[in-house]
Amino acid sequence: MSRSQTACTRVKQPAPTTCWTVSEGSLEALKWVGLVLMTGDHINKYLLHEAIPALYALGRMAMPLFGFVLMVHLARPNALAAGVHLRVMKRLAIFALLATPPFVHLVGWWPLNILATLLLAVLIAWLLGQGGWFRRCTALIAFVFGGAMVEFWWPALLSCLGAWAFLRKPGHLQLLGWVLATASLAIINGNFAALAALLLIWGASQVDIPMPRSRWIFYAFYPTHLSLIASVLQPM
């Protein structure tokens, strides 16, 4: 066999990390799991005064799950050209604003809610995906200063961007970077429960769950459930 044939054979061999590919139905299932975990965490925090530690621990998986599902759509080869990033940023901006009154009522003005965190992560991925030194510098500035203003701060951005980098170019180093980025959430969470989300994602990649996609319900649910919780605690 010639050297060129050998090289082609090597190129065609699938990377070991392709087992992380998740079907559309399984992605939808991950979103529902994240939504349930987030809701349980918020009920435990705001209505039960954190009386159930297990709900807090399970809730740490919600952000990495949502971040992964979001980055799957952004990491696809035609996403940038198709304007996916811009559409997602518009939706996140609208619902982040809608969620602001109940979130401020429950938490305060700082940090901004999780939809703002995801919006910032998408913005950074959009800038990095376009390339060029100016956009990379802008992305760095957005990360440094924006990360100080959003929920879960820089570790959340690292977790999202780690997933994005891994999905764009699967490899062992990229996987390690994603794992370490997600593990950094322990600085905020006080535990490493967020890493369990990666195990859940890997499990979802091993099955194809037939679930139809519900795009808007996940955007709308966030401000809606916060409003309900806030109204139960005290009229806004």
Side-chain angles (χ1 to χ4, degrees), residues 20-34:
W20 287 81
T21 302
V22 182
S23 69
E24 290 293 335
S26 296
L27 279 176
E28 191 70 16
L30 286 176
K31 287 194 292 186
W32 280 103
V33 170

PDB file of all heavy atoms in Angstrom, residues 20-34:
ATOM      1  N   TRP A  20     -20.142  10.602  20.866  1.00  0.00           N
ATOM      2  CA  TRP A  20     -20.877  11.648  21.564  1.00  0.00           C
ATOM      3  C   TRP A  20     -21.955  12.286  20.689  1.00  0.00           C
ATOM      4  O   TRP A  20     -22.645  13.197  21.117  1.00  0.00           O
ATOM      5  CB  TRP A  20     -19.921  12.732  22.046  1.00  0.00           C
ATOM      6  CG  TRP A  20     -19.084  12.317  23.207  1.00  0.00           C
ATOM      7  CD1 TRP A  20     -17.947  11.566  23.179  1.00  0.00           C
ATOM      8  CD2 TRP A  20     -19.313  12.623  24.585  1.00  0.00           C
ATOM      9  NE1 TRP A  20     -17.450  11.394  24.445  1.00  0.00           N
ATOM     10  CE2 TRP A  20     -18.268  12.040  25.336  1.00  0.00           C
ATOM     11  CE3 TRP A  20     -20.282  13.348  25.272  1.00  0.00           C
ATOM     12  CZ2 TRP A  20     -18.173  12.138  26.717  1.00  0.00           C
ATOM     13  CZ3 TRP A  20     -20.193  13.465  26.651  1.00  0.00           C
ATOM     14  CH2 TRP A  20     -19.152  12.860  27.364  1.00  0.00           C
ATOM     15  N   THR A  21     -22.104  11.838  19.448  1.00  0.00           N
ATOM     16  CA  THR A  21     -23.140  12.399  18.588  1.00  0.00           C
ATOM     17  C   THR A  21     -24.518  12.061  19.139  1.00  0.00           C
ATOM     18  O   THR A  21     -24.829  10.898  19.403  1.00  0.00           O
ATOM     19  CB  THR A  21     -23.011  11.829  17.161  1.00  0.00           C
ATOM     20  OG1 THR A  21     -21.708  12.140  16.650  1.00  0.00           O
ATOM     21  CG2 THR A  21     -24.072  12.425  16.252  1.00  0.00           C
ATOM     22  N   VAL A  22     -25.349  13.092  19.308  1.00  0.00           N
ATOM     23  CA  VAL A  22     -26.671  12.920  19.917  1.00  0.00           C
ATOM     24  C   VAL A  22     -27.734  13.203  18.869  1.00  0.00           C
ATOM     25  O   VAL A  22     -27.667  14.199  18.157  1.00  0.00           O
ATOM     26  CB  VAL A  22     -26.839  13.872  21.123  1.00  0.00           C
ATOM     27  CG1 VAL A  22     -28.198  13.656  21.788  1.00  0.00           C
ATOM     28  CG2 VAL A  22     -25.721  13.657  22.133  1.00  0.00           C
ATOM     29  N   SER A  23     -28.728  12.331  18.766  1.00  0.00           N
ATOM     30  CA  SER A  23     -29.809  12.506  17.799  1.00  0.00           C
ATOM     31  C   SER A  23     -30.705  13.666  18.210  1.00  0.00           C
ATOM     32  O   SER A  23     -30.686  14.122  19.360  1.00  0.00           O
ATOM     33  CB  SER A  23     -30.636  11.221  17.692  1.00  0.00           C
ATOM     34  OG  SER A  23     -31.356  11.005  18.893  1.00  0.00           O
ATOM     35  N   GLU A  24     -31.523  14.127  17.269  1.00  0.00           N
ATOM     36  CA  GLU A  24     -32.419  15.254  17.549  1.00  0.00           C
ATOM     37  C   GLU A  24     -33.406  14.918  18.661  1.00  0.00           C
ATOM     38  O   GLU A  24     -33.678  15.746  19.537  1.00  0.00           O
ATOM     39  CB  GLU A  24     -33.175  15.649  16.282  1.00  0.00           C
ATOM     40  CG  GLU A  24     -32.323  16.310  15.216  1.00  0.00           C
ATOM     41  CD  GLU A  24     -31.816  17.676  15.638  1.00  0.00           C
ATOM     42  OE1 GLU A  24     -32.461  18.319  16.497  1.00  0.00           O
ATOM     43  OE2 GLU A  24     -30.779  18.108  15.122  1.00  0.00           O
ATOM     44  N   GLY A  25     -33.953  13.696  18.637  1.00  0.00           N
ATOM     45  CA  GLY A  25     -34.889  13.300  19.667  1.00  0.00           C
ATOM     46  C   GLY A  25     -34.251  13.233  21.042  1.00  0.00           C
ATOM     47  O   GLY A  25     -34.844  13.656  22.042  1.00  0.00           O
ATOM     48  N   SER A  26     -33.021  12.722  21.093  1.00  0.00           N
ATOM     49  CA  SER A  26     -32.313  12.640  22.373  1.00  0.00           C
ATOM     50  C   SER A  26     -31.920  14.020  22.874  1.00  0.00           C
ATOM     51  O   SER A  26     -31.902  14.271  24.086  1.00  0.00           O
ATOM     52  CB  SER A  26     -31.077  11.748  22.230  1.00  0.00           C
ATOM     53  OG  SER A  26     -31.457  10.413  21.931  1.00  0.00           O
ATOM     54  N   LEU A  27     -31.589  14.936  21.952  1.00  0.00           N
ATOM     55  CA  LEU A  27     -31.327  16.321  22.349  1.00  0.00           C
ATOM     56  C   LEU A  27     -32.560  16.937  22.994  1.00  0.00           C
ATOM     57  O   LEU A  27     -32.468  17.646  24.004  1.00  0.00           O
ATOM     58  CB  LEU A  27     -30.916  17.156  21.132  1.00  0.00           C
ATOM     59  CG  LEU A  27     -29.473  17.087  20.659  1.00  0.00           C
ATOM     60  CD1 LEU A  27     -29.310  17.910  19.392  1.00  0.00           C
ATOM     61  CD2 LEU A  27     -28.519  17.587  21.733  1.00  0.00           C
ATOM     62  N   GLU A  28     -33.717  16.657  22.401  1.00  0.00           N
ATOM     63  CA  GLU A  28     -34.963  17.177  22.964  1.00  0.00           C
ATOM     64  C   GLU A  28     -35.192  16.604  24.365  1.00  0.00           C
ATOM     65  O   GLU A  28     -35.624  17.317  25.278  1.00  0.00           O
ATOM     66  CB  GLU A  28     -36.133  16.810  22.049  1.00  0.00           C
ATOM     67  CG  GLU A  28     -37.435  17.501  22.370  1.00  0.00           C
ATOM     68  CD  GLU A  28     -37.413  18.995  22.059  1.00  0.00           C
ATOM     69  OE1 GLU A  28     -36.511  19.443  21.331  1.00  0.00           O
ATOM     70  OE2 GLU A  28     -38.312  19.711  22.557  1.00  0.00           O
ATOM     71  N   ALA A  29     -34.887  15.323  24.525  1.00  0.00           N
ATOM     72  CA  ALA A  29     -35.038  14.699  25.835  1.00  0.00           C
ATOM     73  C   ALA A  29     -34.115  15.345  26.863  1.00  0.00           C
ATOM     74  O   ALA A  29     -34.503  15.556  28.017  1.00  0.00           O
ATOM     75  CB  ALA A  29     -34.756  13.202  25.734  1.00  0.00           C
ATOM     76  N   LEU A  30     -32.898  15.683  26.441  1.00  0.00           N
ATOM     77  CA  LEU A  30     -31.962  16.353  27.347  1.00  0.00           C
ATOM     78  C   LEU A  30     -32.504  17.707  27.788  1.00  0.00           C
ATOM     79  O   LEU A  30     -32.342  18.110  28.946  1.00  0.00           O
ATOM     80  CB  LEU A  30     -30.601  16.526  26.668  1.00  0.00           C
ATOM     81  CG  LEU A  30     -29.731  15.282  26.520  1.00  0.00           C
ATOM     82  CD1 LEU A  30     -28.459  15.618  25.746  1.00  0.00           C
ATOM     83  CD2 LEU A  30     -29.368  14.702  27.893  1.00  0.00           C
ATOM     84  N   LYS A  31     -33.146  18.427  26.868  1.00  0.00           N
ATOM     85  CA  LYS A  31     -33.728  19.713  27.232  1.00  0.00           C
ATOM     86  C   LYS A  31     -34.824  19.546  28.273  1.00  0.00           C
ATOM     87  O   LYS A  31     -34.912  20.337  29.228  1.00  0.00           O
ATOM     88  CB  LYS A  31     -34.288  20.419  25.981  1.00  0.00           C
ATOM     89  CG  LYS A  31     -33.219  20.983  25.056  1.00  0.00           C
ATOM     90  CD  LYS A  31     -33.800  21.948  24.051  1.00  0.00           C
ATOM     91  CE  LYS A  31     -34.693  21.274  23.054  1.00  0.00           C
ATOM     92  NZ  LYS A  31     -35.153  22.213  21.987  1.00  0.00           N
ATOM     93  N   TRP A  32     -35.657  18.525  28.112  1.00  0.00           N
ATOM     94  CA  TRP A  32     -36.721  18.297  29.083  1.00  0.00           C
ATOM     95  C   TRP A  32     -36.154  17.907  30.439  1.00  0.00           C
ATOM     96  O   TRP A  32     -36.662  18.343  31.481  1.00  0.00           O
ATOM     97  CB  TRP A  32     -37.675  17.218  28.567  1.00  0.00           C
ATOM     98  CG  TRP A  32     -38.666  17.745  27.574  1.00  0.00           C
ATOM     99  CD1 TRP A  32     -38.639  17.590  26.218  1.00  0.00           C
ATOM    100  CD2 TRP A  32     -39.821  18.533  27.858  1.00  0.00           C
ATOM    101  NE1 TRP A  32     -39.706  18.228  25.630  1.00  0.00           N
ATOM    102  CE2 TRP A  32     -40.448  18.813  26.616  1.00  0.00           C
ATOM    103  CE3 TRP A  32     -40.385  19.031  29.028  1.00  0.00           C
ATOM    104  CZ2 TRP A  32     -41.615  19.572  26.532  1.00  0.00           C
ATOM    105  CZ3 TRP A  32     -41.554  19.786  28.936  1.00  0.00           C
ATOM    106  CH2 TRP A  32     -42.159  20.046  27.707  1.00  0.00           C
ATOM    107  N   VAL A  33     -35.113  17.085  30.425  1.00  0.00           N
ATOM    108  CA  VAL A  33     -34.469  16.715  31.691  1.00  0.00           C
ATOM    109  C   VAL A  33     -33.906  17.963  32.369  1.00  0.00           C
ATOM    110  O   VAL A  33     -34.075  18.170  33.582  1.00  0.00           O
ATOM    111  CB  VAL A  33     -33.349  15.678  31.459  1.00  0.00           C
ATOM    112  CG1 VAL A  33     -32.527  15.472  32.728  1.00  0.00           C
ATOM    113  CG2 VAL A  33     -33.935  14.349  31.002  1.00  0.00           C
ATOM    114  N   GLY A  34     -33.229  18.816  31.590  1.00  0.00           N
ATOM    115  CA  GLY A  34     -32.683  20.050  32.130  1.00  0.00           C
ATOM    116  C   GLY A  34     -33.770  20.945  32.693  1.00  0.00           C
ATOM    117  O   GLY A  34     -33.604  21.559  33.755  1.00  0.00           O
TER     118      GLY A  34
END
